[in-house]
Amino acid sequence: MSMPFYVAPEQIMKDRADYARKGIARGKALIAIQYSAGIAIVAENPSNTLRKISEIYDRIAFAGVGKYNEFDQLRVSGVRAADLKGYQYSRIDVDARSLANQYAQILGQIFTHEMKPLEVEILVAEVADEASKDQLFHIFYDGTVLDERKFCVLGGDSDAIYSRMKESPLLAHLDTALLADVVQLCRNALSGPDRQLPIEECEIAILNRSGDRRAFTRLDDTEVNALVQG
Amino acid sequence: MPFFTPGDHPGASFAELLKRVGIDPFQKHLTESSTHVNFPHATTCVALRFADGVVMAGDRRATSGNVISHRSMEKVVSADKFSGVAIAGTAGPAMEMIKLFQLQLEHYEKVEGQLLSLEGKANQLSMMVRGNLPAAMQGLVVVPIFAGYDLQKGYGRLWDYDPTGGRYEEREFVATGSGSVHAGAVIKVGWRTSMSQDAAVRLALKSLWEAADSDSATGGPDTLRGIYPIVASITANGWERIDDSTLSRLVEELIAEHQERNQEV
């Protein structure tokens, strides 16, 4: 009978983290950012049918990067959890913080107990009546949750994109920024210095602060083109 | 958070999801005595087609036997942006069914990433009515009507149901509830192909007026409290409720019409 080799827990965790990070780094990035009328989410996504951004509940959106089948499974679980909670209690009891915690539990559990971690990073965003109460939860492959302010970047090359975003003077007055301006900013940051990201490859959705029950809107091709042309 | 393995998940069905987490919204454990209790009942609702879609309308009264239990009930509600549902029957299960139906359509839309077809929505409602059959056999009957704008076909459509979940598409109009005979007769006489929205709204109001005139369980416009029937149109632009100020004006015109008629005698 052969004995399994001893591997230090630190090594196991490091290997899993490297594996997940490599998977995520291969995928394309996305940015969520606050603006005057709510929250905009801009993703680099060549597909017009396999979505990275979607609606979870009235004021809550989901976005994922990495392995599509894995974050899509998480997305559907989120919709189920939110609809169940809204049915059993009330629609106003469904909140992003609770969803983010549940996602973190699942990702953390899979990271420590399964053979393979999920190769995803996800965002749970909630728009509130006031910009100061908007929430952007950035959840990592190992269950780490970050509560981000103003904007957040997920996916491959996110450090470089983050620093490009940081340089923008627009960040100082997002409360008056127009949708076209923040979309332009995100598109430039996603593109980088060596290329211009084609607008057809931008998936854009917004959470509108207008007070309508369902705040989530996905912009269609004509709306996206109108934004770019001003 | 319910996390299912692939191949073992409830799909886009909210009702199936409820079952999987141990919630069964349709009570099947009633005793025979339930038929002898007077639960609140909702009454007359109508829907009719016009040139650009459909108009739905319903009175506001709920009755328990001979007592008016509620004066401002909303029996006609939007199911989603392009469809509406109106319910007659036992108010409790009826309201629960509306809530579940609305949730089911939204749940499907979010999970699948696209709207269910109008035919699919009508079918879903049919299954819910059938799910309520054991309760219906004990007297808690729920009979909805469903109407909407078919985005694929480009016109309005409407459906009638029976308590067993039978689903019947109609070409002109449908009426349900205790006052449906009277309301239906008024619409049958006044209905024209390709009516304008204004004419359809007036006809719907008139049908409820006449139903209230002949059926004690149907409430007429309550000008004293400012409670008017719920009237809504569904077109390519979606569900739009006709506001109370418009309804109050139309009701006044209807009253004037009646007074004129009485003077001629």
Side-chain angles (χ1 to χ4, degrees), chain A residues 55-58 73-81 83-84 87-88 91 99 102-103 106 110 213-214, chain B residues 1-6 9-12 14 17-18 21 23 25 96 99-100 103 106-107 109-111:
Chain A
E55 177 186 17
I56 291 264
Y57 210 64
D58 294 350
Q73 195 185 9
L74 291 170
R75 172 186 75 86
V76 175
S77 294
V79 172
R80 289 190 178 126
D83 279 350
L84 273 176
Y87 173 75
Q88 286 181 286
R91 295 199 81 94
L99 275 173
Q102 293 179 71
Y103 275 132
I106 290 179
I110 291 177
R213 181 171 73 81
R214 290 173 81 175
Chain B
M1 182 175 288
F3 198 68
F4 301 99
T5 54
H9 59 77
F14 187 69
L17 173 64
L18 284 178
V21 299
I23 304 168
E96 176 68 12
K99 184 179 160 190
L100 258 181
L103 261 172
E106 190 186 316
H107 190 71
E109 183 189 338
K110 289 189 291 195
V111 171

Short mmCIF file of all heavy atoms in Angstrom, two decimals, chain A residues 55-58 73-81 83-84 87-88 91 99 102-103 106 110 213-214, chain B residues 1-6 9-12 14 17-18 21 23 25 96 99-100 103 106-107 109-111:
data_model
loop_
_atom_site.label_atom_id
_atom_site.label_comp_id
_atom_site.label_asym_id
_atom_site.label_seq_id
_atom_site.Cartn_x
_atom_site.Cartn_y
_atom_site.Cartn_z
N GLU A 55 -29.32 40.73 -13.89
CA GLU A 55 -30.17 41.21 -12.81
C GLU A 55 -30.35 40.11 -11.77
O GLU A 55 -30.57 38.96 -12.12
CB GLU A 55 -31.53 41.59 -13.41
CG GLU A 55 -32.56 42.04 -12.41
CD GLU A 55 -33.92 42.26 -13.06
OE1 GLU A 55 -34.14 41.77 -14.18
OE2 GLU A 55 -34.76 42.91 -12.43
N ILE A 56 -30.23 40.47 -10.49
CA ILE A 56 -30.54 39.52 -9.43
C ILE A 56 -31.89 39.85 -8.82
O ILE A 56 -32.75 39.00 -8.67
CB ILE A 56 -29.46 39.57 -8.31
CG1 ILE A 56 -28.15 39.02 -8.83
CG2 ILE A 56 -29.93 38.82 -7.08
CD1 ILE A 56 -27.88 37.58 -8.52
N TYR A 57 -32.09 41.11 -8.48
CA TYR A 57 -33.34 41.51 -7.85
C TYR A 57 -33.59 42.98 -8.16
O TYR A 57 -32.83 43.60 -8.90
CB TYR A 57 -33.26 41.25 -6.33
CG TYR A 57 -34.59 40.94 -5.70
CD1 TYR A 57 -35.27 39.79 -6.06
CD2 TYR A 57 -35.17 41.80 -4.78
CE1 TYR A 57 -36.51 39.50 -5.49
CE2 TYR A 57 -36.39 41.51 -4.20
CZ TYR A 57 -37.06 40.36 -4.56
OH TYR A 57 -38.28 40.07 -4.01
N ASP A 58 -34.61 43.54 -7.54
CA ASP A 58 -35.04 44.90 -7.88
C ASP A 58 -33.90 45.90 -8.03
O ASP A 58 -33.82 46.63 -9.00
CB ASP A 58 -36.01 45.42 -6.80
CG ASP A 58 -37.29 44.62 -6.78
OD1 ASP A 58 -37.50 43.82 -7.72
OD2 ASP A 58 -38.08 44.78 -5.84
N GLN A 73 -23.57 29.63 -12.69
CA GLN A 73 -24.21 28.82 -11.65
C GLN A 73 -24.42 29.67 -10.38
O GLN A 73 -25.45 29.59 -9.74
CB GLN A 73 -23.32 27.62 -11.35
CG GLN A 73 -24.01 26.52 -10.58
CD GLN A 73 -23.05 25.39 -10.20
OE1 GLN A 73 -21.83 25.50 -10.35
NE2 GLN A 73 -23.60 24.31 -9.69
N LEU A 74 -23.42 30.48 -10.06
CA LEU A 74 -23.55 31.36 -8.90
C LEU A 74 -24.64 32.41 -9.12
O LEU A 74 -25.41 32.73 -8.23
CB LEU A 74 -22.21 32.06 -8.62
CG LEU A 74 -21.09 31.16 -8.10
CD1 LEU A 74 -19.77 31.92 -8.10
CD2 LEU A 74 -21.41 30.67 -6.69
N ARG A 75 -24.70 32.93 -10.35
CA ARG A 75 -25.72 33.93 -10.69
C ARG A 75 -27.12 33.37 -10.44
O ARG A 75 -27.95 33.98 -9.77
CB ARG A 75 -25.58 34.32 -12.16
CG ARG A 75 -26.70 35.21 -12.66
CD ARG A 75 -26.59 35.44 -14.15
NE ARG A 75 -26.99 34.28 -14.93
CZ ARG A 75 -28.24 33.99 -15.28
NH1 ARG A 75 -29.22 34.79 -14.92
NH2 ARG A 75 -28.52 32.91 -15.98
N VAL A 76 -27.37 32.16 -10.98
CA VAL A 76 -28.70 31.58 -10.84
C VAL A 76 -29.02 31.29 -9.37
O VAL A 76 -30.15 31.52 -8.91
CB VAL A 76 -28.82 30.30 -11.71
CG1 VAL A 76 -30.16 29.62 -11.46
CG2 VAL A 76 -28.68 30.65 -13.18
N SER A 77 -28.02 30.85 -8.61
CA SER A 77 -28.24 30.62 -7.18
C SER A 77 -28.64 31.92 -6.48
O SER A 77 -29.49 31.92 -5.59
CB SER A 77 -26.97 30.10 -6.51
OG SER A 77 -26.68 28.83 -6.99
N GLY A 78 -28.03 33.01 -6.90
CA GLY A 78 -28.34 34.31 -6.32
C GLY A 78 -29.78 34.72 -6.61
O GLY A 78 -30.49 35.23 -5.74
N VAL A 79 -30.21 34.50 -7.87
CA VAL A 79 -31.59 34.83 -8.25
C VAL A 79 -32.55 34.00 -7.40
O VAL A 79 -33.55 34.50 -6.88
CB VAL A 79 -31.82 34.54 -9.75
CG1 VAL A 79 -33.30 34.68 -10.11
CG2 VAL A 79 -30.99 35.48 -10.61
N ARG A 80 -32.22 32.71 -7.24
CA ARG A 80 -33.09 31.84 -6.45
C ARG A 80 -33.17 32.30 -5.00
O ARG A 80 -34.25 32.41 -4.43
CB ARG A 80 -32.57 30.40 -6.50
CG ARG A 80 -32.77 29.77 -7.86
CD ARG A 80 -32.48 28.28 -7.85
NE ARG A 80 -32.75 27.75 -9.17
CZ ARG A 80 -31.88 27.03 -9.90
NH1 ARG A 80 -30.69 26.74 -9.41
NH2 ARG A 80 -32.21 26.60 -11.09
N ALA A 81 -32.01 32.60 -4.42
CA ALA A 81 -31.99 33.02 -3.01
C ALA A 81 -32.77 34.31 -2.83
O ALA A 81 -33.57 34.44 -1.89
CB ALA A 81 -30.54 33.22 -2.55
N ASP A 83 -35.19 35.65 -4.82
CA ASP A 83 -36.63 35.49 -5.05
C ASP A 83 -37.30 34.74 -3.89
O ASP A 83 -38.42 35.07 -3.50
CB ASP A 83 -36.90 34.76 -6.37
CG ASP A 83 -36.82 35.71 -7.57
OD1 ASP A 83 -36.76 36.93 -7.35
OD2 ASP A 83 -36.80 35.23 -8.72
N LEU A 84 -36.60 33.76 -3.34
CA LEU A 84 -37.16 33.03 -2.19
C LEU A 84 -37.32 33.94 -0.99
O LEU A 84 -38.35 33.94 -0.33
CB LEU A 84 -36.23 31.87 -1.80
CG LEU A 84 -36.43 30.55 -2.53
CD1 LEU A 84 -35.36 29.56 -2.09
CD2 LEU A 84 -37.80 29.96 -2.24
N TYR A 87 -40.13 36.35 -1.46
CA TYR A 87 -41.42 35.67 -1.37
C TYR A 87 -41.79 35.41 0.09
O TYR A 87 -42.93 35.63 0.50
CB TYR A 87 -41.36 34.36 -2.15
CG TYR A 87 -42.59 33.48 -1.98
CD1 TYR A 87 -43.78 33.78 -2.61
CD2 TYR A 87 -42.55 32.35 -1.17
CE1 TYR A 87 -44.90 32.98 -2.47
CE2 TYR A 87 -43.66 31.54 -1.00
CZ TYR A 87 -44.84 31.86 -1.65
OH TYR A 87 -45.95 31.08 -1.49
N GLN A 88 -40.82 34.95 0.86
CA GLN A 88 -41.10 34.58 2.26
C GLN A 88 -41.25 35.78 3.18
O GLN A 88 -42.02 35.75 4.11
CB GLN A 88 -40.00 33.67 2.80
CG GLN A 88 -40.08 32.26 2.24
CD GLN A 88 -39.00 31.41 2.83
OE1 GLN A 88 -37.83 31.54 2.48
NE2 GLN A 88 -39.37 30.52 3.73
N ARG A 91 -40.15 42.31 -0.30
CA ARG A 91 -39.15 42.67 -1.33
C ARG A 91 -38.05 43.56 -0.74
O ARG A 91 -36.90 43.48 -1.18
CB ARG A 91 -39.83 43.38 -2.50
CG ARG A 91 -40.81 42.51 -3.26
CD ARG A 91 -41.10 43.06 -4.64
NE ARG A 91 -40.07 42.73 -5.59
CZ ARG A 91 -40.12 41.67 -6.40
NH1 ARG A 91 -41.13 40.86 -6.40
NH2 ARG A 91 -39.12 41.44 -7.23
N LEU A 99 -26.64 38.73 0.36
CA LEU A 99 -26.29 37.90 -0.80
C LEU A 99 -24.78 37.72 -0.91
O LEU A 99 -24.28 36.61 -1.15
CB LEU A 99 -26.79 38.54 -2.09
CG LEU A 99 -28.24 38.26 -2.49
CD1 LEU A 99 -28.61 39.12 -3.68
CD2 LEU A 99 -28.42 36.79 -2.84
N GLN A 102 -23.57 35.22 1.51
CA GLN A 102 -23.88 33.85 1.12
C GLN A 102 -22.95 33.36 0.00
O GLN A 102 -22.52 32.22 -0.01
CB GLN A 102 -25.34 33.76 0.67
CG GLN A 102 -26.31 34.00 1.81
CD GLN A 102 -27.75 33.92 1.32
OE1 GLN A 102 -28.26 32.87 0.99
NE2 GLN A 102 -28.40 35.06 1.26
N TYR A 103 -22.67 34.27 -0.94
CA TYR A 103 -21.72 33.92 -2.00
C TYR A 103 -20.35 33.60 -1.41
O TYR A 103 -19.68 32.64 -1.80
CB TYR A 103 -21.57 35.08 -2.99
CG TYR A 103 -22.62 35.12 -4.06
CD1 TYR A 103 -23.30 36.29 -4.35
CD2 TYR A 103 -22.92 33.99 -4.82
CE1 TYR A 103 -24.27 36.34 -5.35
CE2 TYR A 103 -23.88 34.02 -5.82
CZ TYR A 103 -24.54 35.20 -6.08
OH TYR A 103 -25.48 35.24 -7.07
N ILE A 106 -20.21 30.15 0.05
CA ILE A 106 -20.11 29.10 -0.97
C ILE A 106 -18.70 29.04 -1.55
O ILE A 106 -18.08 27.98 -1.64
CB ILE A 106 -21.14 29.33 -2.09
CG1 ILE A 106 -22.55 29.08 -1.55
CG2 ILE A 106 -20.87 28.42 -3.28
CD1 ILE A 106 -23.64 29.31 -2.56
N ILE A 110 -16.03 25.93 -1.11
CA ILE A 110 -15.49 25.19 -2.26
C ILE A 110 -13.97 25.32 -2.31
O ILE A 110 -13.26 24.36 -2.60
CB ILE A 110 -16.15 25.68 -3.57
CG1 ILE A 110 -17.63 25.26 -3.58
CG2 ILE A 110 -15.42 25.15 -4.80
CD1 ILE A 110 -18.42 25.73 -4.75
N ARG A 213 -39.25 50.09 -9.58
CA ARG A 213 -39.00 48.87 -8.80
C ARG A 213 -37.80 48.10 -9.34
O ARG A 213 -36.90 47.74 -8.59
CB ARG A 213 -40.23 47.97 -8.81
CG ARG A 213 -40.03 46.71 -7.99
CD ARG A 213 -41.30 45.93 -7.83
NE ARG A 213 -41.73 45.23 -9.01
CZ ARG A 213 -41.25 44.05 -9.41
NH1 ARG A 213 -40.30 43.47 -8.74
NH2 ARG A 213 -41.71 43.48 -10.49
N ARG A 214 -37.80 47.83 -10.64
CA ARG A 214 -36.66 47.09 -11.20
C ARG A 214 -35.65 48.07 -11.78
O ARG A 214 -35.86 48.65 -12.84
CB ARG A 214 -37.15 46.10 -12.25
CG ARG A 214 -37.92 44.96 -11.63
CD ARG A 214 -38.55 44.07 -12.65
NE ARG A 214 -37.60 43.11 -13.22
CZ ARG A 214 -37.98 42.16 -14.07
NH1 ARG A 214 -39.22 42.05 -14.46
NH2 ARG A 214 -37.09 41.31 -14.54
N MET B 1 -28.40 30.16 0.82
CA MET B 1 -28.51 30.22 -0.65
C MET B 1 -28.62 28.81 -1.19
O MET B 1 -27.75 27.98 -0.94
CB MET B 1 -27.28 30.92 -1.23
CG MET B 1 -27.32 31.07 -2.73
SD MET B 1 -25.93 32.02 -3.38
CE MET B 1 -26.31 33.67 -2.84
N PRO B 2 -29.72 28.51 -1.92
CA PRO B 2 -29.84 27.15 -2.46
C PRO B 2 -28.83 26.93 -3.59
O PRO B 2 -28.80 27.70 -4.55
CB PRO B 2 -31.28 27.12 -3.00
CG PRO B 2 -31.69 28.53 -3.17
CD PRO B 2 -30.81 29.39 -2.33
N PHE B 3 -27.99 25.93 -3.42
CA PHE B 3 -26.95 25.67 -4.42
C PHE B 3 -27.10 24.24 -4.91
O PHE B 3 -26.84 23.30 -4.19
CB PHE B 3 -25.57 25.88 -3.77
CG PHE B 3 -24.46 26.07 -4.75
CD1 PHE B 3 -24.40 27.20 -5.55
CD2 PHE B 3 -23.46 25.11 -4.87
CE1 PHE B 3 -23.37 27.38 -6.45
CE2 PHE B 3 -22.43 25.29 -5.78
CZ PHE B 3 -22.38 26.43 -6.57
N PHE B 4 -27.61 24.10 -6.15
CA PHE B 4 -27.90 22.77 -6.67
C PHE B 4 -26.79 22.32 -7.61
O PHE B 4 -26.12 23.13 -8.23
CB PHE B 4 -29.22 22.78 -7.45
CG PHE B 4 -30.40 23.21 -6.61
CD1 PHE B 4 -30.87 24.51 -6.69
CD2 PHE B 4 -31.02 22.31 -5.77
CE1 PHE B 4 -31.96 24.91 -5.92
CE2 PHE B 4 -32.10 22.70 -4.99
CZ PHE B 4 -32.57 24.01 -5.07
N THR B 5 -26.61 20.99 -7.69
CA THR B 5 -25.62 20.49 -8.63
C THR B 5 -26.25 20.46 -10.03
O THR B 5 -27.47 20.32 -10.16
CB THR B 5 -25.17 19.07 -8.25
OG1 THR B 5 -26.36 18.26 -8.12
CG2 THR B 5 -24.41 19.06 -6.95
N PRO B 6 -25.41 20.56 -11.08
CA PRO B 6 -25.96 20.53 -12.44
C PRO B 6 -26.73 19.23 -12.66
O PRO B 6 -26.30 18.18 -12.22
CB PRO B 6 -24.71 20.58 -13.32
CG PRO B 6 -23.64 21.15 -12.48
CD PRO B 6 -23.96 20.73 -11.08
N HIS B 9 -31.11 20.62 -10.65
CA HIS B 9 -31.63 21.92 -10.21
C HIS B 9 -33.07 22.10 -10.70
O HIS B 9 -33.52 21.43 -11.62
CB HIS B 9 -30.73 23.04 -10.71
CG HIS B 9 -30.60 23.08 -12.19
ND1 HIS B 9 -31.58 23.59 -13.00
CD2 HIS B 9 -29.62 22.65 -13.01
CE1 HIS B 9 -31.19 23.48 -14.25
NE2 HIS B 9 -30.02 22.91 -14.29
N PRO B 10 -33.83 23.00 -10.07
CA PRO B 10 -35.24 23.17 -10.45
C PRO B 10 -35.45 24.01 -11.71
O PRO B 10 -36.58 24.33 -12.04
CB PRO B 10 -35.85 23.86 -9.22
CG PRO B 10 -34.72 24.52 -8.55
CD PRO B 10 -33.47 23.80 -8.88
N GLY B 11 -34.40 24.35 -12.43
CA GLY B 11 -34.55 25.11 -13.67
C GLY B 11 -35.07 26.51 -13.41
O GLY B 11 -34.76 27.11 -12.40
N ALA B 12 -35.90 27.00 -14.34
CA ALA B 12 -36.39 28.38 -14.22
C ALA B 12 -37.73 28.44 -13.52
O ALA B 12 -38.38 29.47 -13.52
CB ALA B 12 -36.48 29.01 -15.60
N PHE B 14 -40.12 28.76 -10.46
CA PHE B 14 -40.11 29.20 -9.08
C PHE B 14 -40.92 28.26 -8.20
O PHE B 14 -40.55 27.98 -7.06
CB PHE B 14 -40.65 30.63 -8.98
CG PHE B 14 -40.51 31.22 -7.61
CD1 PHE B 14 -39.26 31.52 -7.10
CD2 PHE B 14 -41.61 31.44 -6.81
CE1 PHE B 14 -39.12 32.05 -5.83
CE2 PHE B 14 -41.49 31.96 -5.54
CZ PHE B 14 -40.23 32.27 -5.05
N LEU B 17 -38.86 25.37 -7.37
CA LEU B 17 -37.86 25.78 -6.37
C LEU B 17 -38.47 25.80 -4.97
O LEU B 17 -37.86 25.31 -4.01
CB LEU B 17 -37.33 27.16 -6.74
CG LEU B 17 -36.39 27.84 -5.73
CD1 LEU B 17 -35.11 27.05 -5.57
CD2 LEU B 17 -36.07 29.26 -6.15
N LEU B 18 -39.70 26.33 -4.88
CA LEU B 18 -40.38 26.36 -3.58
C LEU B 18 -40.53 24.95 -3.02
O LEU B 18 -40.28 24.70 -1.85
CB LEU B 18 -41.76 27.01 -3.72
CG LEU B 18 -41.80 28.53 -3.84
CD1 LEU B 18 -43.24 29.00 -4.02
CD2 LEU B 18 -41.19 29.19 -2.62
N VAL B 21 -37.28 23.54 -1.65
CA VAL B 21 -36.82 24.03 -0.34
C VAL B 21 -37.88 23.81 0.73
O VAL B 21 -37.77 24.32 1.85
CB VAL B 21 -36.40 25.52 -0.38
CG1 VAL B 21 -35.24 25.72 -1.33
CG2 VAL B 21 -37.55 26.42 -0.78
N ILE B 23 -41.38 24.44 0.67
CA ILE B 23 -42.53 25.33 0.83
C ILE B 23 -43.57 24.92 -0.20
O ILE B 23 -43.28 24.87 -1.39
CB ILE B 23 -42.14 26.80 0.59
CG1 ILE B 23 -40.99 27.20 1.52
CG2 ILE B 23 -43.34 27.72 0.81
CD1 ILE B 23 -40.36 28.52 1.16
N PRO B 25 -47.08 26.25 -1.52
CA PRO B 25 -48.04 27.34 -1.38
C PRO B 25 -49.50 26.91 -1.52
O PRO B 25 -50.39 27.64 -1.12
CB PRO B 25 -47.65 28.31 -2.48
CG PRO B 25 -46.90 27.50 -3.47
CD PRO B 25 -46.29 26.36 -2.74
N GLU B 96 -52.66 34.96 -3.43
CA GLU B 96 -51.45 34.17 -3.36
C GLU B 96 -51.05 33.71 -4.77
O GLU B 96 -49.88 33.71 -5.14
CB GLU B 96 -51.68 32.96 -2.44
CG GLU B 96 -50.52 31.99 -2.34
CD GLU B 96 -49.31 32.59 -1.63
OE1 GLU B 96 -49.42 33.66 -1.02
OE2 GLU B 96 -48.23 31.95 -1.72
N LYS B 99 -49.53 36.57 -6.72
CA LYS B 99 -48.17 36.85 -6.24
C LYS B 99 -47.19 35.81 -6.81
O LYS B 99 -46.12 36.16 -7.31
CB LYS B 99 -48.18 36.80 -4.71
CG LYS B 99 -46.87 37.16 -4.06
CD LYS B 99 -47.01 37.10 -2.54
CE LYS B 99 -45.68 36.97 -1.86
NZ LYS B 99 -45.80 36.67 -0.43
N LEU B 100 -47.60 34.55 -6.74
CA LEU B 100 -46.74 33.48 -7.26
C LEU B 100 -46.55 33.60 -8.75
O LEU B 100 -45.45 33.37 -9.28
CB LEU B 100 -47.40 32.12 -6.97
CG LEU B 100 -46.87 31.33 -5.81
CD1 LEU B 100 -47.62 30.02 -5.71
CD2 LEU B 100 -45.38 31.04 -6.00
N LEU B 103 -44.18 36.40 -9.57
CA LEU B 103 -42.82 35.98 -9.23
C LEU B 103 -42.29 34.97 -10.23
O LEU B 103 -41.12 35.03 -10.63
CB LEU B 103 -42.83 35.32 -7.85
CG LEU B 103 -42.39 36.20 -6.70
CD1 LEU B 103 -42.63 35.50 -5.40
CD2 LEU B 103 -40.91 36.52 -6.85
N GLU B 106 -41.15 36.73 -13.39
CA GLU B 106 -39.91 37.48 -13.20
C GLU B 106 -38.74 36.52 -12.99
O GLU B 106 -37.64 36.75 -13.48
CB GLU B 106 -40.07 38.41 -11.99
CG GLU B 106 -38.94 39.40 -11.85
CD GLU B 106 -39.04 40.21 -10.57
OE1 GLU B 106 -40.14 40.67 -10.24
OE2 GLU B 106 -38.00 40.38 -9.92
N HIS B 107 -39.00 35.44 -12.23
CA HIS B 107 -37.96 34.45 -11.96
C HIS B 107 -37.46 33.82 -13.27
O HIS B 107 -36.26 33.73 -13.50
CB HIS B 107 -38.54 33.37 -11.04
CG HIS B 107 -37.52 32.42 -10.50
ND1 HIS B 107 -36.60 32.78 -9.54
CD2 HIS B 107 -37.27 31.11 -10.77
CE1 HIS B 107 -35.84 31.75 -9.26
NE2 HIS B 107 -36.23 30.72 -9.98
N GLU B 109 -37.68 35.11 -16.24
CA GLU B 109 -36.98 36.13 -17.04
C GLU B 109 -35.54 36.31 -16.57
O GLU B 109 -34.62 36.43 -17.38
CB GLU B 109 -37.76 37.45 -16.92
CG GLU B 109 -37.19 38.57 -17.76
CD GLU B 109 -37.84 39.91 -17.46
OE1 GLU B 109 -38.97 39.93 -16.94
OE2 GLU B 109 -37.21 40.93 -17.75
N LYS B 110 -35.34 36.29 -15.25
CA LYS B 110 -33.99 36.50 -14.73
C LYS B 110 -33.10 35.28 -14.92
O LYS B 110 -31.95 35.40 -15.32
CB LYS B 110 -34.06 36.88 -13.24
CG LYS B 110 -34.63 38.28 -13.04
CD LYS B 110 -34.50 38.75 -11.62
CE LYS B 110 -35.38 38.01 -10.68
NZ LYS B 110 -35.54 38.69 -9.38
N VAL B 111 -33.64 34.10 -14.64
CA VAL B 111 -32.83 32.88 -14.77
C VAL B 111 -32.48 32.62 -16.23
O VAL B 111 -31.33 32.35 -16.57
CB VAL B 111 -33.55 31.65 -14.15
CG1 VAL B 111 -32.81 30.37 -14.48
CG2 VAL B 111 -33.66 31.81 -12.65
#
